[in-house]
């Protein structure tokens, strides 16, 4: 923003000029007054002296130097007088004219005029709150007219210099203000040009927008017309399709019945490929020394490693299919949770310092009444060259004997291919009713360790049709809340989360059924891999 323009410099310079002139006139009048007063007094004294002398002038006075000087001055005076008395009178008249500026003014009137001028000047200075001394001007009766005029001249020069300086400052300020005004005008013109350019651009864009809107309106009209035609065509097609569906639905029941009849007729002649995979033996027991160990016909040439487990099956009955009716196998988790809780009620089964802990099984505990074909499980402890390895007998089913020739199998292991596994949910290997991330990681590690590949699933959509086996973890349990807990927002959130997780679990099972993928719960997976009795290790 430009500085404000000065508006008082010119007025101040004029005021100073007026005051200077006024003061000069007042001082001149004062000096002249005092001079005239002195001269008049002197003239009166001279006149009185002349009169006095004339009264008693004698021959001796005729030679007085003063009289002689007066006579000489009378001769040389331009006033054209005849005697010394006329000379003095003419001088008074001259001084009166000098004081008043008019001829023929008596001396007394000139005196009054001078005194009035002095009083008026003093009143004017007083009204302006000034004194002659404030400007360096002063005059007394003792000052000569020459010295007084010199002081007046110096004061006039000083005041004139101040006036010129004030005028120069005013001129410079006006020039600066003019430059600032020009600069602001240039900036304003530039902004006005910019605003006009923006207005022009806005007008052009508005015109383009109006054109686009008009074009879109035309296009929308065409679209509405085409859409109406398409809707009519689709409605006609839908009506025809509904008629076809009705006709097709009438043919579905007899076709379904025919398919069921054909499946029933072909079932005795067709093997389930899933059962073929599960029921294929991986090896046989070649020797059972009776010292808790045994030997199998798998070795370093068969890509097995120490720590690998196998389930032992009767050589005559073979390996049961996945859908075998193994009592308690499908609801093992619920049964094992109840059993663990019952055991924890006993003080002897509490952990250190009396804190309840999870109850693990012994190596000989079996939680299912398995068919006789399940005999026990073994663990490879030494892999031999070629096709032989030494194993440790981990468990033996009660009432059965492991013999040479019995077959062994691990659902994951296959010498020819890598089976593709998928897992969903969390696992509870110690059956304490609390699924955990470490148990889930153990199941996935075992699948990879035994030669398979594993894909952890987070949603049903991630299950792929080329999956060979799906291993399901613990199904989420939806808690039942009391009326008091139902009012707790946190508990209600837990219930909703559990419902969502259970729905995801069921959706994965439905997807596996749709793709005909074999499904194993935790217990079946552990049994068919021979790892059930080692799960708590």
């Amino acid at each position: 923003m430009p500085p404000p323009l000065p508006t008082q410099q010119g007025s101040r310079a004029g005021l100073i000029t007026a005051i200077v002139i006024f003061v000069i006139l007042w001082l001149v009048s004062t000096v002249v007054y005092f001079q005239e007063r002195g001269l008049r007094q002197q003239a009166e004294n001279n006149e009185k002296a002349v009169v006095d002398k004339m009264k008693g002038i004698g021959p001796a006075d005729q030679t007085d130097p003063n009289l002689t000087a007066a006579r000489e001055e009378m001769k040389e005076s331009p006033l054209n007088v005849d005697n010394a008395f006329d000379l003095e009178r003419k001088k008074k008249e001259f001084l009166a004219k000098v004081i008043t500026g008019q001829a023929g003014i008596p001396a007394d009137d000139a005196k009054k005029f001078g005194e009035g001028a002095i009083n008026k000047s003093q009143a004017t200075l007083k009204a302006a709150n000034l004194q002659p001394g404030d400007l360096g001007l002063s005059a007394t009766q003792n000052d000569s007219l020459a010295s007084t005029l010199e002081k007046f001249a110096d004061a006039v020069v000083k005041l004139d210099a101040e006036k010129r300086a004030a005028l120069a400052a005013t001129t410079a300020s006006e020039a600066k203000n003019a430059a600032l005004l020009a600069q602001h005008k240039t900036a304003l013109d530039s902004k006005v040009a910019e605003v006009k350019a923006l207005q022009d651009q806005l007008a052009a864009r508005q015109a383009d927008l109006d054109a686009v809107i008009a074009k879109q309106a035309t296009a929308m009209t065409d679209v509405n017309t085409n859409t109406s035609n398409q809707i009519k065509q689709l409605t006609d097609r839908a009506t025809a399709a509904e008629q076809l569906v009705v006709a097709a639905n009438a043919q579905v029941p007899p076709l379904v019945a025919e398919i069921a009849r054909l499946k029933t007729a072909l079932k005795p002649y067709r093997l389930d490929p899933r059962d073929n995979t599960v029921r294929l033996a991986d090896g046989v027991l070649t020797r059972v020394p009776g010292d808790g160990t045994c030997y199998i016909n798998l070795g370093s040439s068969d890509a097995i490693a120490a720590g690998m487990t196998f389930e032992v099956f009767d050589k005559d009955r073979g390996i049961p299919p996945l859908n075998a009716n193994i009592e308690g196998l499908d609801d093992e988790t619920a049964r094992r949770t109840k059993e663990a809780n019952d055991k924890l009620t006993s003080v002897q089964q509490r952990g250190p310092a009396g804190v309840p802990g999870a109850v693990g099984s012994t190596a000989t505990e079996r939680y299912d009444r398995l068919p006789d074909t399940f005999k026990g499980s073994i663990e490879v402890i030494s892999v031999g060259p070629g096709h032989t390895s030494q194993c440790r007998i981990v468990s033996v089913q009660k009432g059965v004997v492991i013999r040479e020739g019995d077959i062994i199998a691990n659902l994951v292991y296959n010498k020819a291919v890598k089976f593709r596994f998928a897992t969903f949910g969390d696992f509870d290997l110690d059956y304490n009713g609390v699924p955990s991330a470490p148990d889930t990681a153990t199941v996935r590690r075992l699948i990879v360790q035994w030669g398979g590949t594993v894909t952890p699933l987070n949603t049903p959509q991630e299950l792929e049709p080329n999956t060979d086996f799906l291993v399901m973890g613990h199904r989420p349990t939806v808690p039942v809340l009391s009326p008091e807990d139902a009012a707790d927002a946190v508990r209600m959130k837990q219930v909703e989360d559990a419902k969502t997780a259970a729905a995801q679990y069921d959706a994965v099972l439905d997807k596996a059924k749709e793709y005909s993928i074999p499904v194993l719960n935790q217990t079946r997976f552990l049994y068919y891999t021979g790892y059930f009795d080692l799960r708590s290790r």
Side-chain angles (χ1 to χ4, degrees):
M1 182 177 182
L5 298 176
T7 60
Q8 299 179 351
Q9 293 292 335
S11 300
R12 185 173 182 272
L15 177 60
I16 292 173
T17 302
I19 292 174
V20 168
I21 295 173
F22 179 80
V23 169
I24 290 172
L25 293 175
W26 177 82
L27 290 176
V28 170
S29 300
T30 303
V31 171
V32 172
Y33 168 76
F34 285 117
Q35 292 292 336
E36 185 276 336
R37 183 177 181 182
L39 292 175
R40 184 162 56 86
Q41 185 66 38
Q42 184 180 0
E44 290 176 352
N45 292 337
N46 291 336
E47 182 180 1
K48 185 176 181 299
V50 170
V51 172
D52 291 340
K53 287 182 178 184
M54 290 298 292
K55 288 179 180 180
I57 190 168
D61 293 331
Q62 296 295 327
T63 59
D64 188 285
N66 290 327
L67 181 59
T68 303
R71 289 172 177 173
E72 293 297 327
E73 182 181 0
M74 181 187 65
K75 293 178 181 180
E76 296 176 0
S77 174
L79 298 178
N80 191 19
V81 295
D82 296 331
N83 53 58
F85 295 106
D86 288 337
L87 177 62
E88 294 299 327
R89 184 176 55 81
K90 291 291 186 181
K91 287 181 178 180
K92 288 182 180 180
E93 292 177 354
F94 176 76
L95 290 175
K97 182 178 181 181
V98 170
I99 292 172
T100 63
Q102 299 178 8
I105 302 298
D108 291 338
D109 293 341
K111 177 183 176 181
K112 293 179 181 180
F113 180 85
E115 290 175 348
I118 291 172
N119 293 333
K120 183 178 180 182
S121 299
Q122 291 176 343
T124 302
L125 290 174
K126 185 177 180 180
N129 198 23
L130 292 174
Q131 296 294 333
D134 295 340
L135 301 174
L137 303 175
S138 62
T140 64
Q141 293 182 1
N142 297 325
D143 291 336
S144 65
L145 180 59
S147 63
T148 302
L149 290 176
E150 288 179 358
K151 291 181 180 179
F152 290 164
D154 292 339
V156 170
V157 171
K158 179 180 177 182
L159 293 174
D160 184 67
E162 292 180 355
K163 173 185 175 182
R164 293 178 183 275
L167 290 175
T170 301
T171 303
S173 177
E174 290 176 351
K176 182 178 180 181
N177 291 336
L180 290 175
L181 183 61
Q183 180 180 355
H184 288 315
K185 184 177 183 304
T186 301
L188 180 61
D189 293 341
S190 177
K191 291 298 182 182
V192 169
E194 292 179 3
V195 170
K196 187 176 185 307
L198 292 175
Q199 290 176 342
D200 294 341
Q201 293 179 5
L202 180 62
R205 293 185 179 180
Q206 183 64 41
D208 294 341
L209 180 60
D210 293 340
V212 171
I213 292 175
K215 183 178 180 180
Q216 291 294 333
T218 303
M220 184 60 67
T221 302
D222 295 340
V223 168
N224 291 336
T225 302
N226 295 335
T227 301
S228 299
N229 296 334
Q230 293 178 0
I231 291 174
K232 184 178 183 306
Q233 295 175 0
L234 292 175
T235 302
D236 296 340
R237 292 179 182 178
T239 302
E242 289 178 357
Q243 295 174 354
L244 292 176
V245 169
V246 171
N249 287 338
Q251 300 177 6
V252 168
L255 292 176
V256 171
E258 179 64 16
I259 291 173
R261 185 186 67 80
L262 293 175
K263 285 184 177 180
T264 302
L266 293 175
K267 188 173 183 179
Y269 308 100
R270 183 173 180 270
L271 296 176
D272 190 339
R274 294 176 295 175
D275 286 343
N276 290 342
T277 301
V278 174
R279 303 182 69 181
L280 181 64
D282 295 317
V284 297
L285 298 180
T286 58
R287 188 158 60 94
V288 183
D291 57 356
T293 64
C294 62
Y295 293 86
I296 60 177
N297 65 341
L298 300 175
S300 59
S301 299
D302 302 300
I304 66 171
M308 191 171 182
T309 58
F310 292 92
E311 189 73 15
V312 180
F313 298 93
D314 182 79
K315 63 180 179 180
D316 296 325
R317 299 185 179 183
I319 303 172
L322 283 180
N323 59 358
N325 184 19
I326 304 174
E327 183 178 348
L329 206 59
D330 290 332
D331 58 349
E332 185 64 26
T333 298
R335 194 166 67 84
R336 291 278 47 80
T337 300
K338 180 178 183 306
E339 185 173 302
N341 291 334
D342 292 342
K343 288 183 179 181
L344 287 174
T345 58
S346 173
V347 176
Q348 289 79 8
Q349 294 296 330
R350 293 181 180 271
V355 179
V359 178
S361 64
T362 65
T364 57
E365 279 186 306
R366 303 293 284 188
Y367 294 123
D368 302 280
R369 297 190 325 188
L370 303 176
D372 292 342
T373 185
F374 283 88
K375 285 193 168 185
S377 60
I378 61 176
E379 179 186 17
V380 177
I381 57 177
S382 177
V383 178
H387 302 285
T388 184
S389 293
Q390 185 183 19
C391 301
R392 175 176 69 90
I393 299 177
V394 177
S395 64
V396 179
Q397 187 78 343
K398 184 177 180 179
V400 300
V401 178
I402 294 179
R403 308 176 187 277
E404 294 180 6
D406 285 337
I407 59 177
I408 61 174
N410 182 313
L411 181 65
V412 179
Y413 171 74
N414 190 288
K415 292 184 288 185
V417 297
K418 280 181 173 290
F419 288 130
R420 291 182 293 271
F421 284 78
T423 61
F424 185 84
D426 293 326
F427 293 83
D428 176 22
L429 295 182
D430 54 6
Y431 289 94
N432 66 349
V434 182
S436 65
D439 289 352
T440 303
T442 297
V443 172
R444 295 170 181 168
R445 175 180 57 81
L446 291 175
I447 293 174
V448 176
Q449 180 178 323
W450 292 334
T453 62
V454 61
T455 301
L457 303 179
N458 295 311
T459 63
Q461 291 73 22
E462 296 177 358
L463 182 62
E464 297 180 353
N466 60 353
T467 302
D468 295 310
F469 295 97
L470 172 62
V471 184
M472 300 294 289
H474 177 73
R475 187 181 188 277
T477 302
V478 179
V480 179
L481 301 182
S482 63
E484 294 78 8
D485 292 337
D488 188 342
V490 176
R491 298 299 301 275
M492 288 299 299
K493 179 67 166 55
Q494 294 174 351
V495 171
E496 294 302 323
D497 291 344
K499 289 181 178 180
T500 301
Q504 288 280 83
Y505 188 96
D506 296 339
V508 172
L509 289 177
D510 293 340
K511 183 67 70 173
K513 182 178 180 181
E514 177 185 348
Y515 291 156
S516 299
I517 298 174
V519 179
L520 298 89
N521 62 6
Q522 173 181 291
T523 304
R524 287 180 180 270
F525 173 79
L526 295 176
Y527 272 127
Y528 277 91
T529 57
Y531 197 76
F532 186 88
D533 294 293
L534 294 176
R535 71 192 187 283
S536 59
R537 182 172 62 176

